[in-house]
Amino acid sequence: MKRVFREGMKMLLQQSIFPLIYNINKRKQIRKGLVVFADAHHAELPEQMRLLYEELKKRGMHVVKYCFDLSKLSKSEGLRRMTAFMKLYAVSEYVVLCNNFIPVASCKKRPETKVIQLWHACGALKKFGYDAADDVPGWYKGNVYRNYDLVTVSGPEAVEPFKRAMRISDDEVVKPVGVSESDRLFDTAGISAIKDKFKSLYPEAEGRKVILWAPTFRGAAGDALVQSSESIGEKQVDKLGDNEDYFVIKSLHPHQTGAVSEMSTEELMMCSDLFITDYSSLCFQAALYRVPIVYFTPDFDDYKKERGFYCDYESLPGVHPGENDTLETAVKRALREGSQMYENDETVHFLERYMSGCDGKATERIADYITKEV
Protein backbone atom coordinates (compact mmCIF):
# COMPACT_ATOMS: atom_id res chain seq x y z
CA MET A 1 0.00 0.00 0.00
CA LYS A 2 2.84 2.39 0.84
CA ARG A 3 4.44 1.77 -2.52
CA VAL A 4 1.14 2.45 -4.35
CA PHE A 5 0.83 5.77 -2.51
CA ARG A 6 4.46 6.63 -3.22
CA GLU A 7 4.15 5.86 -6.93
CA GLY A 8 0.87 7.78 -7.07
CA MET A 9 2.57 10.86 -5.63
CA LYS A 10 5.36 10.49 -8.19
CA MET A 11 2.76 10.44 -10.96
CA LEU A 12 1.13 13.60 -9.61
CA LEU A 13 4.44 15.42 -9.47
CA GLN A 14 5.52 14.14 -12.86
CA GLN A 15 2.33 15.11 -14.63
CA SER A 16 1.53 18.47 -13.06
CA ILE A 17 3.96 20.28 -10.74
CA PHE A 18 7.25 19.45 -12.48
CA PRO A 19 6.03 20.31 -16.02
CA LEU A 20 4.62 23.62 -14.76
CA ILE A 21 7.93 24.67 -13.20
CA TYR A 22 9.83 23.54 -16.30
CA ASN A 23 7.59 25.37 -18.76
CA ILE A 24 7.85 28.62 -16.83
CA ASN A 25 11.65 28.46 -16.75
CA LYS A 26 12.26 27.25 -20.31
CA ARG A 27 11.43 30.77 -21.50
CA LYS A 28 14.98 31.63 -20.49
CA GLN A 29 17.90 31.05 -22.84
CA ILE A 30 19.85 27.81 -22.79
CA ARG A 31 23.15 28.19 -20.93
CA LYS A 32 25.65 26.97 -23.51
CA GLY A 33 28.19 24.52 -22.16
CA LEU A 34 26.19 23.73 -18.99
CA VAL A 35 26.24 20.01 -18.15
CA VAL A 36 24.28 18.88 -15.10
CA PHE A 37 25.09 15.52 -13.51
CA ALA A 38 21.88 14.56 -11.71
CA ASP A 39 21.21 11.66 -9.36
CA ALA A 40 18.64 11.04 -6.62
CA HIS A 41 20.25 7.91 -5.16
CA HIS A 42 23.57 9.27 -3.85
CA ALA A 43 24.52 12.31 -1.79
CA GLU A 44 27.80 12.57 -3.73
CA LEU A 45 28.64 12.07 -7.39
CA PRO A 46 28.26 8.32 -8.18
CA GLU A 47 31.32 6.45 -9.43
CA GLN A 48 29.50 5.75 -12.71
CA MET A 49 29.63 9.49 -13.46
CA ARG A 50 33.02 10.46 -12.11
CA LEU A 51 35.22 9.79 -15.17
CA LEU A 52 32.92 11.67 -17.56
CA TYR A 53 32.59 14.54 -15.08
CA GLU A 54 36.36 14.90 -14.87
CA GLU A 55 36.81 14.60 -18.64
CA LEU A 56 34.28 17.34 -19.37
CA LYS A 57 35.92 19.61 -16.80
CA LYS A 58 39.22 19.15 -18.64
CA ARG A 59 37.48 20.13 -21.87
CA GLY A 60 36.28 23.40 -20.39
CA MET A 61 32.61 22.57 -19.96
CA HIS A 62 30.61 24.10 -17.11
CA VAL A 63 29.81 20.94 -15.14
CA VAL A 64 27.44 20.97 -12.16
CA LYS A 65 26.77 18.20 -9.64
CA TYR A 66 23.13 17.89 -8.62
CA CYS A 67 23.11 14.79 -6.41
CA PHE A 68 21.02 13.92 -3.37
CA ASP A 69 19.90 10.73 -1.66
CA LEU A 70 16.13 10.99 -1.76
CA SER A 71 15.69 8.09 0.67
CA LYS A 72 17.45 10.09 3.40
CA LEU A 73 15.59 13.36 2.93
CA SER A 74 12.28 14.50 4.34
CA LYS A 75 9.43 14.65 1.84
CA SER A 76 9.49 18.45 1.83
CA GLU A 77 13.27 18.59 1.29
CA GLY A 78 13.09 15.97 -1.44
CA LEU A 79 10.37 17.93 -3.22
CA ARG A 80 12.42 21.12 -2.90
CA ARG A 81 15.47 19.47 -4.45
CA MET A 82 13.50 18.06 -7.37
CA THR A 83 11.62 21.26 -8.14
CA ALA A 84 14.89 23.20 -8.01
CA PHE A 85 16.30 20.72 -10.51
CA MET A 86 13.43 21.49 -12.93
CA LYS A 87 14.57 25.13 -13.04
CA LEU A 88 18.11 24.03 -13.84
CA TYR A 89 16.92 21.41 -16.33
CA ALA A 90 15.05 24.07 -18.27
CA VAL A 91 18.25 25.97 -19.11
CA SER A 92 20.84 23.15 -19.31
CA GLU A 93 22.43 22.10 -22.56
CA TYR A 94 23.16 18.59 -21.29
CA VAL A 95 21.87 16.47 -18.42
CA VAL A 96 23.74 13.29 -17.47
CA LEU A 97 22.12 10.44 -15.51
CA CYS A 98 23.20 6.97 -14.39
CA ASN A 99 19.89 5.71 -13.00
CA ASN A 100 16.15 6.43 -13.08
CA PHE A 101 15.48 10.10 -12.41
CA ILE A 102 11.79 10.96 -12.53
CA PRO A 103 12.08 14.77 -12.95
CA VAL A 104 13.85 14.39 -16.32
CA ALA A 105 10.96 12.36 -17.70
CA SER A 106 8.24 14.64 -16.35
CA CYS A 107 7.79 16.97 -19.30
CA LYS A 108 8.39 17.45 -22.99
CA LYS A 109 11.89 18.87 -22.94
CA ARG A 110 13.15 21.53 -25.28
CA PRO A 111 15.15 20.10 -28.23
CA GLU A 112 18.23 22.18 -27.36
CA THR A 113 18.72 20.08 -24.21
CA LYS A 114 20.24 16.63 -24.59
CA VAL A 115 19.81 13.92 -21.93
CA ILE A 116 22.48 11.23 -21.63
CA GLN A 117 21.81 8.05 -19.67
CA LEU A 118 25.06 6.32 -18.64
CA TRP A 119 23.13 3.65 -16.72
CA HIS A 120 24.93 1.81 -13.92
CA ALA A 121 25.56 -1.63 -15.35
CA CYS A 122 27.24 -3.46 -18.21
CA GLY A 123 25.78 -6.14 -20.43
CA ALA A 124 22.14 -7.22 -20.44
CA LEU A 125 21.47 -9.98 -17.93
CA LYS A 126 18.31 -9.85 -15.82
CA LYS A 127 15.20 -8.13 -17.11
CA PHE A 128 14.51 -4.61 -15.89
CA GLY A 129 12.43 -1.53 -16.58
CA TYR A 130 9.25 -2.23 -18.53
CA ASP A 131 10.28 -5.87 -18.96
CA ALA A 132 10.08 -6.43 -15.18
CA ALA A 133 6.73 -6.12 -13.42
CA ASP A 134 8.19 -4.91 -10.13
CA ASP A 135 10.38 -2.20 -11.70
CA VAL A 136 7.62 -0.18 -13.37
CA PRO A 137 4.08 -1.18 -12.33
CA GLY A 138 1.59 -1.65 -15.15
CA TRP A 139 -0.72 1.03 -13.75
CA TYR A 140 2.04 3.67 -13.72
CA LYS A 141 1.27 6.45 -16.22
CA GLY A 142 4.08 8.02 -18.21
CA ASN A 143 7.49 6.70 -19.24
CA VAL A 144 10.25 6.96 -16.64
CA TYR A 145 12.81 6.73 -19.48
CA ARG A 146 11.35 9.57 -21.53
CA ASN A 147 13.52 12.30 -23.12
CA TYR A 148 16.75 10.31 -23.54
CA ASP A 149 18.94 11.34 -26.47
CA LEU A 150 21.72 8.86 -25.76
CA VAL A 151 21.79 5.66 -23.71
CA THR A 152 25.28 4.18 -23.51
CA VAL A 153 25.59 0.39 -23.39
CA SER A 154 28.57 -1.94 -23.23
CA GLY A 155 28.19 -3.84 -26.50
CA PRO A 156 25.92 -4.48 -29.52
CA GLU A 157 24.11 -7.39 -27.84
CA ALA A 158 22.81 -5.02 -25.14
CA VAL A 159 21.15 -2.58 -27.54
CA GLU A 160 17.83 -4.35 -28.16
CA PRO A 161 17.24 -5.36 -24.51
CA PHE A 162 17.76 -1.76 -23.39
CA LYS A 163 15.46 -0.41 -26.11
CA ARG A 164 12.78 -2.86 -25.04
CA ALA A 165 13.20 -2.29 -21.30
CA MET A 166 13.10 1.49 -21.71
CA ARG A 167 10.46 1.57 -24.48
CA ILE A 168 12.78 3.40 -26.84
CA SER A 169 11.85 3.10 -30.51
CA ASP A 170 14.44 5.47 -31.98
CA ASP A 171 17.35 3.42 -33.36
CA GLU A 172 19.74 6.35 -32.83
CA VAL A 173 19.34 6.56 -29.03
CA VAL A 174 20.81 3.35 -27.56
CA LYS A 175 24.44 3.09 -28.65
CA PRO A 176 27.13 0.47 -27.85
CA VAL A 177 29.78 3.13 -27.23
CA GLY A 178 30.79 1.50 -23.94
CA VAL A 179 30.21 2.17 -20.26
CA SER A 180 32.25 5.08 -18.91
CA GLU A 181 33.04 3.51 -15.55
CA SER A 182 34.57 0.44 -17.21
CA ASP A 183 37.52 2.61 -18.28
CA ARG A 184 38.82 2.20 -14.72
CA LEU A 185 39.66 -1.41 -15.58
CA PHE A 186 42.27 -0.14 -18.04
CA ASP A 187 43.87 2.42 -15.71
CA THR A 188 47.04 0.74 -14.44
CA ALA A 189 48.00 3.53 -12.05
CA GLY A 190 44.44 3.77 -10.71
CA ILE A 191 44.22 0.03 -10.12
CA SER A 192 47.54 0.07 -8.27
CA ALA A 193 46.23 2.82 -5.97
CA ILE A 194 43.03 0.86 -5.35
CA LYS A 195 45.03 -2.24 -4.42
CA ASP A 196 47.17 -0.21 -2.04
CA LYS A 197 44.00 1.10 -0.42
CA PHE A 198 42.69 -2.45 -0.05
CA LYS A 199 45.91 -3.59 1.63
CA SER A 200 45.70 -0.75 4.14
CA LEU A 201 42.04 -1.46 4.95
CA TYR A 202 42.33 -5.26 5.02
CA PRO A 203 45.85 -6.24 6.13
CA GLU A 204 44.47 -9.59 7.31
CA ALA A 205 43.88 -10.54 3.65
CA GLU A 206 47.61 -10.72 2.96
CA GLY A 207 48.64 -14.17 1.69
CA ARG A 208 45.05 -15.42 1.37
CA LYS A 209 42.69 -15.82 -1.57
CA VAL A 210 40.36 -12.82 -1.58
CA ILE A 211 36.78 -13.88 -2.35
CA LEU A 212 34.22 -11.18 -3.06
CA TRP A 213 30.51 -11.94 -2.76
CA ALA A 214 28.09 -9.44 -4.33
CA PRO A 215 24.51 -10.71 -4.73
CA THR A 216 21.93 -8.85 -6.77
CA PHE A 217 19.21 -6.76 -5.13
CA ARG A 218 15.94 -8.68 -4.87
CA GLY A 219 13.13 -6.18 -4.76
CA ALA A 220 11.39 -3.38 -6.60
CA ALA A 221 13.56 -0.62 -8.03
CA GLY A 222 11.63 1.99 -6.11
CA ASP A 223 11.80 0.29 -2.74
CA ALA A 224 13.37 2.08 0.19
CA LEU A 225 16.18 0.53 2.21
CA VAL A 226 15.53 -3.13 2.79
CA GLN A 227 16.01 -4.17 6.41
CA SER A 228 17.33 -7.71 6.14
CA SER A 229 19.76 -9.49 8.39
CA GLU A 230 20.55 -12.21 5.89
CA SER A 231 20.60 -12.53 2.10
CA ILE A 232 19.90 -15.68 0.10
CA GLY A 233 22.96 -17.91 0.19
CA GLU A 234 24.73 -15.85 2.84
CA LYS A 235 25.13 -18.76 5.26
CA GLN A 236 27.01 -20.80 2.66
CA VAL A 237 29.21 -17.82 1.78
CA ASP A 238 30.00 -17.25 5.46
CA LYS A 239 31.02 -20.90 5.76
CA LEU A 240 33.77 -20.31 3.19
CA GLY A 241 35.40 -18.08 5.80
CA ASP A 242 36.10 -21.15 7.91
CA ASN A 243 38.89 -21.94 5.47
CA GLU A 244 41.93 -19.99 6.66
CA ASP A 245 43.21 -19.79 3.09
CA TYR A 246 40.25 -17.60 2.12
CA PHE A 247 39.46 -13.99 2.98
CA VAL A 248 35.76 -13.46 2.28
CA ILE A 249 34.37 -9.96 1.89
CA LYS A 250 30.72 -9.13 1.26
CA SER A 251 29.42 -6.21 -0.75
CA LEU A 252 25.65 -5.83 -0.70
CA HIS A 253 23.44 -3.64 -2.84
CA PRO A 254 23.02 -0.04 -1.53
CA HIS A 255 19.30 -0.77 -0.92
CA GLN A 256 20.22 -3.51 1.56
CA THR A 257 21.58 -3.41 5.05
CA GLY A 258 24.52 -5.58 5.93
CA ALA A 259 28.26 -5.59 5.30
CA VAL A 260 29.53 -2.15 4.31
CA SER A 261 32.99 -1.44 2.95
CA GLU A 262 34.87 1.82 2.43
CA MET A 263 35.46 0.61 -1.11
CA SER A 264 32.94 0.18 -3.91
CA THR A 265 32.09 -3.28 -5.22
CA GLU A 266 33.92 -2.48 -8.45
CA GLU A 267 37.04 -1.52 -6.51
CA LEU A 268 36.85 -4.65 -4.36
CA MET A 269 36.53 -6.73 -7.51
CA MET A 270 39.86 -5.37 -8.78
CA CYS A 271 41.49 -6.67 -5.61
CA SER A 272 39.85 -10.09 -5.61
CA ASP A 273 40.99 -13.54 -6.67
CA LEU A 274 37.42 -14.73 -7.10
CA PHE A 275 34.01 -13.15 -7.59
CA ILE A 276 30.83 -14.88 -6.38
CA THR A 277 27.47 -13.56 -7.50
CA ASP A 278 24.04 -14.75 -8.53
CA TYR A 279 22.37 -12.41 -11.04
CA SER A 280 24.40 -9.20 -10.73
CA SER A 281 25.46 -7.53 -13.96
CA LEU A 282 28.83 -6.99 -12.30
CA CYS A 283 29.68 -10.40 -13.76
CA PHE A 284 30.30 -8.63 -17.09
CA GLN A 285 32.86 -6.30 -15.53
CA ALA A 286 34.48 -9.18 -13.68
CA ALA A 287 34.80 -11.06 -16.97
CA LEU A 288 36.29 -7.99 -18.64
CA TYR A 289 38.85 -7.81 -15.84
CA ARG A 290 39.41 -11.59 -16.03
CA VAL A 291 38.41 -12.29 -12.42
CA PRO A 292 37.21 -15.91 -12.05
CA ILE A 293 33.46 -16.08 -11.34
CA VAL A 294 31.22 -18.54 -9.50
CA TYR A 295 27.45 -18.20 -10.00
CA PHE A 296 25.76 -19.20 -6.76
CA THR A 297 22.00 -19.33 -7.32
CA PRO A 298 20.01 -21.24 -4.65
CA ASP A 299 16.77 -19.65 -5.90
CA PHE A 300 17.43 -19.95 -9.64
CA ASP A 301 14.11 -21.52 -10.70
CA ASP A 302 12.04 -18.96 -8.79
CA TYR A 303 14.15 -16.04 -9.99
CA LYS A 304 14.02 -17.13 -13.62
CA LYS A 305 10.24 -17.43 -13.41
CA GLU A 306 9.66 -14.14 -11.59
CA ARG A 307 12.30 -11.92 -13.22
CA GLY A 308 13.80 -13.68 -16.25
CA PHE A 309 16.90 -13.02 -18.32
CA TYR A 310 17.88 -11.44 -21.62
CA CYS A 311 20.56 -14.01 -22.35
CA ASP A 312 21.13 -17.70 -21.73
CA TYR A 313 22.23 -17.64 -18.10
CA GLU A 314 24.23 -20.84 -18.46
CA SER A 315 26.30 -19.21 -21.23
CA LEU A 316 27.75 -16.60 -18.85
CA PRO A 317 31.52 -17.10 -18.51
CA GLY A 318 32.47 -18.73 -15.21
CA VAL A 319 31.66 -21.72 -13.04
CA HIS A 320 28.01 -22.75 -12.74
CA PRO A 321 27.80 -25.34 -9.93
CA GLY A 322 25.85 -28.50 -10.70
CA GLU A 323 23.16 -29.99 -8.46
CA ASN A 324 25.70 -32.13 -6.62
CA ASP A 325 28.29 -29.37 -6.21
CA THR A 326 28.76 -27.41 -3.02
CA LEU A 327 29.75 -23.77 -3.09
CA GLU A 328 33.19 -24.73 -1.77
CA THR A 329 33.86 -27.25 -4.56
CA ALA A 330 32.79 -24.65 -7.15
CA VAL A 331 35.14 -22.09 -5.57
CA LYS A 332 38.06 -24.53 -5.69
CA ARG A 333 37.35 -25.30 -9.33
CA ALA A 334 37.17 -21.62 -10.27
CA LEU A 335 40.42 -20.84 -8.46
CA ARG A 336 42.13 -23.71 -10.31
CA GLU A 337 40.90 -22.46 -13.69
CA GLY A 338 41.74 -18.85 -12.91
CA SER A 339 41.70 -16.40 -15.81
CA GLN A 340 42.04 -19.31 -18.25
CA MET A 341 38.26 -19.68 -18.09
CA TYR A 342 38.08 -16.68 -20.43
CA GLU A 343 40.41 -18.02 -23.11
CA ASN A 344 38.08 -20.36 -25.02
CA ASP A 345 36.58 -19.18 -28.31
CA GLU A 346 32.99 -19.25 -27.03
CA THR A 347 33.78 -16.89 -24.14
CA VAL A 348 35.82 -14.56 -26.34
CA HIS A 349 32.88 -14.28 -28.74
CA PHE A 350 30.47 -13.73 -25.83
CA LEU A 351 32.54 -10.80 -24.53
CA GLU A 352 32.82 -9.29 -28.01
CA ARG A 353 29.04 -9.24 -28.28
CA TYR A 354 28.34 -7.86 -24.82
CA MET A 355 31.45 -5.85 -23.90
CA SER A 356 33.23 -4.71 -27.08
CA GLY A 357 32.44 -1.06 -26.34
CA CYS A 358 34.35 -1.28 -23.06
CA ASP A 359 37.88 -0.85 -24.37
CA GLY A 360 39.20 1.88 -22.09
CA LYS A 361 38.00 4.72 -24.35
CA ALA A 362 34.28 4.81 -23.61
CA THR A 363 34.47 8.07 -21.62
CA GLU A 364 36.29 9.77 -24.47
CA ARG A 365 33.62 8.73 -26.96
CA ILE A 366 30.78 9.93 -24.73
CA ALA A 367 32.57 13.23 -24.09
CA ASP A 368 33.03 13.65 -27.85
CA TYR A 369 29.26 13.32 -28.28
CA ILE A 370 28.82 16.24 -25.90
CA THR A 371 31.61 18.57 -26.97
CA LYS A 372 31.32 18.15 -30.75
CA GLU A 373 28.31 20.46 -30.81
CA VAL A 374 29.68 23.09 -28.42
Side-chain angles (χ1 to χ4, degrees), residues 287-318:
L288 186 65
Y289 196 56
R290 299 301 192 266
V291 178
I293 305 173
V294 169
Y295 298 93
F296 183 49
T297 57
D299 63 339
F300 179 78
D301 291 337
D302 290 338
Y303 195 89
K304 182 178 180 180
K305 181 180 179 180
E306 294 172 7
R307 169 70 66 158
F309 305 102
Y310 289 114
C311 64
D312 176 14
Y313 186 84
E314 297 296 329
S315 70
L316 292 170

Side-chain angles (χ1 to χ4, degrees), residues 58-225:
K58 290 178 185 176
R59 298 191 185 197
M61 301 292 286
H62 179 200
V63 291
V64 173
K65 302 175 189 177
Y66 200 89
C67 303
F68 54 95
D69 188 344
L70 192 59
S71 68
K72 296 181 180 178
L73 300 178
S74 65
K75 289 183 174 60
S76 59
E77 178 61 15
L79 179 59
R80 187 191 71 78
R81 295 284 186 95
M82 288 189 286
T83 52
F85 167 79
M86 296 307 295
K87 298 176 183 178
L88 192 58
Y89 182 24
V91 296
S92 299
E93 187 170 18
Y94 290 93
V95 174
V96 180
L97 312 173
C98 68
N99 210 321
N100 293 349
F101 192 74
I102 290 294
V104 158
S106 64
C107 58
K108 182 179 180 181
K109 71 174 178 65
R110 57 199 301 180
E112 305 100 309
T113 298
K114 306 296 182 185
V115 176
I116 299 168
Q117 175 59 268
L118 302 180
W119 205 232
H120 53 272
C122 292
L125 178 52
K126 58 182 180 287
K127 292 184 177 181
F128 72 101
Y130 285 96
D131 286 342
D134 61 351
D135 269 11
V136 184
W139 48 262
Y140 191 90
K141 303 299 181 184
N143 186 344
V144 298
Y145 305 108
R146 183 186 184 189
N147 286 330
Y148 293 168
D149 295 280
L150 175 66
V151 178
T152 65
V153 295
S154 59
E157 201 75 20
V159 171
E160 288 304 318
F162 270 73
K163 287 175 63 178
R164 195 160 61 247
M166 294 181 172
R167 289 186 176 174
I168 294 173
S169 58
D170 190 336
D171 291 334
E172 298 302 311
V173 173
V174 183
K175 295 289 187 182
V177 296
V179 174
S180 176
E181 188 188 17
S182 70
D183 288 354
R184 301 176 75 194
L185 300 175
F186 299 85
D187 179 8
T188 304
I191 292 172
S192 179
I194 288 169
K195 289 185 175 181
D196 287 342
K197 180 181 178 181
F198 181 87
K199 289 177 181 178
S200 67
L201 289 173
Y202 304 102
E204 64 272 32
E206 184 69 28
R208 302 160 74 184
K209 293 294 185 182
V210 177
I211 298 176
L212 171 64
W213 178 58
T216 196
F217 171 63
R218 291 168 172 79
D223 283 349
L225 193 67

